[in-house]
Amino acid sequence: MSDSRVPRPRRFLVCEPRHFAVQYAINPWMHPDKPVDVDLAQEQWQALIRAYRAHGHTVDSVEPVPGLPDMVFAANAAFVVGGRVFGSLFHAPERRPESVHYDTWFKAAGYDVYRPESVTEGEGDLVWTGRYVLAGTGFRTTREAHREAQEFLGHPVIGLTLVDPYFYHLDTALFVLDDDNICYYPEAFSPGSREVLKRLYPDAVLATREDAMAFGLNSVSDGRHVFIAPKAEALAERLADHGYVPVPVDLSEFHKAGGGIKCCTQEIR
Ligand code: ARG
């Protein structure tokens, strides 16, 4: 069965963790009094980039800016489908200045950037499934931003309500495996949203709270390989049973900021 899963090469946008730190607390994972090992963070991040390249993916990077310690979380800076760039408007004032640097990169790369009027945090809350957008709300991205995204992108946007502060972004509770299936942690969602997910993906791979707390849902799949946190062991096994090939990459230093593999990765489609 595992031979039936076909990878599709991706183009990723990342930002080196040169200035990574936990200096403020805007989610329950962040404790500014606990130190971050920046050298270890750099090594872990480089290993992620190597893993992407080794599996045939293209990686572009934005130059990191001093004083913006969360800029490494490239996923939050925009949401791109079919070359349309839906920019971000961060919830936290500390992160708002990141947008201009990413926008500059997109403009230099030849893209127009749409500037949203409502709070929206890129691929943190907007997830492309291949046919429509799954959009999280509850902690960061607003309902109004979902409407703006649908209007700008011309793709259906399906709103999902997040209810657990540990899973404050949709990409901490759900990821897309391929054009047909997703993987998620049901308890991170409101009852109605859970029902929606069940209707859309009756055969989804479900994760436990343990998997989710290990950042197992903050994974990146190319349709065959799933770049996943090594501590999400049970989930990796379940994915292997479904024919996917888990590629463990440890970003433990980034968990201290509430981020993992997917948070560090934006996909340009
Ligand atoms: N410290 C960052 C924040 O709270 C982490 C962002 C993680 N990114 C993500 N795509 N979930 O905004």
Side-chain angles (χ1 to χ4, degrees):
M1 183 177 169
S2 79
D3 289 336
S4 63
R5 303 283 178 203
V6 183
R8 191 161 46 75
R10 310 292 165 122
R11 182 180 179 197
F12 296 133
L13 182 63
V14 298
C15 179
E16 193 207 303
R18 208 181 304 156
H19 310 293
F20 173 59
V22 176
Q23 289 168 350
Y24 44 80
I26 54 171
N27 68 54
W29 302 91
M30 300 176 87
H31 301 286
D33 46 310
K34 273 198 210 149
V36 167
D37 183 338
V38 182
D39 291 336
L40 179 57
Q42 281 273 14
E43 279 169 38
Q44 293 180 333
W45 186 86
Q46 295 292 350
L48 175 66
I49 306 309
R50 278 198 302 275
Y52 283 150
R53 293 200 166 123
H55 288 84
H57 304 300
T58 304
V59 182
D60 282 318
S61 69
V62 173
E63 187 62 16
V65 176
L68 297 176
D70 273 336
M71 202 176 157
V72 61
F73 299 117
N76 303 145
F79 175 69
V80 185
V81 181
R84 291 190 200 179
V85 182
F86 187 71
S88 288
L89 176 59
F90 284 91
H91 177 74
E94 292 91 336
R95 295 199 66 186
R96 289 211 169 172
E98 292 177 32
S99 294
V100 44
H101 302 288
Y102 279 94
D103 290 3
T104 304
W105 185 90
F106 276 109
K107 282 174 198 153
Y111 296 89
D112 288 329
V113 179
Y114 174 89
R115 295 252 36 92
E117 286 166 22
S118 310
V119 166
T120 184
E121 299 199 347
E123 287 197 313
D125 279 318
L126 301 172
V127 174
W128 178 243
T129 64
R131 267 166 298 175
Y132 44 78
V133 181
L134 295 176
T137 190
F139 298 100
R140 303 282 181 94
T141 300
T142 61
R143 286 273 177 198
E144 184 51 28
H146 294 180
R147 192 200 59 77
E148 268 189 275
Q150 176 164 290
E151 198 55 38
F152 173 69
L153 299 165
H155 286 291
V157 173
I158 298 170
L160 299 168
T161 303
L162 295 161
V163 295
D164 183 330
Y166 278 96
F167 311 110
Y168 58 94
H169 270 149
L170 183 58
D171 75 356
T172 62
L174 176 152
F175 71 96
V176 170
L177 285 163
D178 50 38
D179 285 350
D180 300 314
N181 210 1
I182 65 169
C183 176
Y184 68 100
Y185 168 51
E187 284 72 28
F189 297 90
S190 69
S193 298
R194 254 180 253 177
E195 236 183 298
V196 168
L197 287 170
K198 209 169 173 179
R199 281 182 213 281
L200 291 174
Y201 298 98
D203 302 317
V205 179
L206 300 183
T208 63
R209 186 173 183 82
E210 228 186 343
D211 297 321
M213 290 299 282
F215 283 86
L217 279 315
N218 198 242
S219 296
V220 169
S221 169
D222 65 15
R224 174 177 175 80
H225 311 103
V226 179
F227 302 88
I228 187 167
K231 293 224 165 68
E233 265 174 80
L235 182 57
E237 264 176 49
R238 225 163 308 131
L239 291 166
D241 291 341
H242 282 78
Y244 299 96
V245 181
V247 178
V249 181
D250 190 10
L251 291 193
S252 58
E253 282 309 292
F254 299 91
H255 299 175
K256 297 175 180 172
I261 294 172
K262 175 58 209 172
C263 301
C264 291
T265 313
Q266 190 191 134
E267 185 175 342
I268 300 178
R269 301 173 190 84

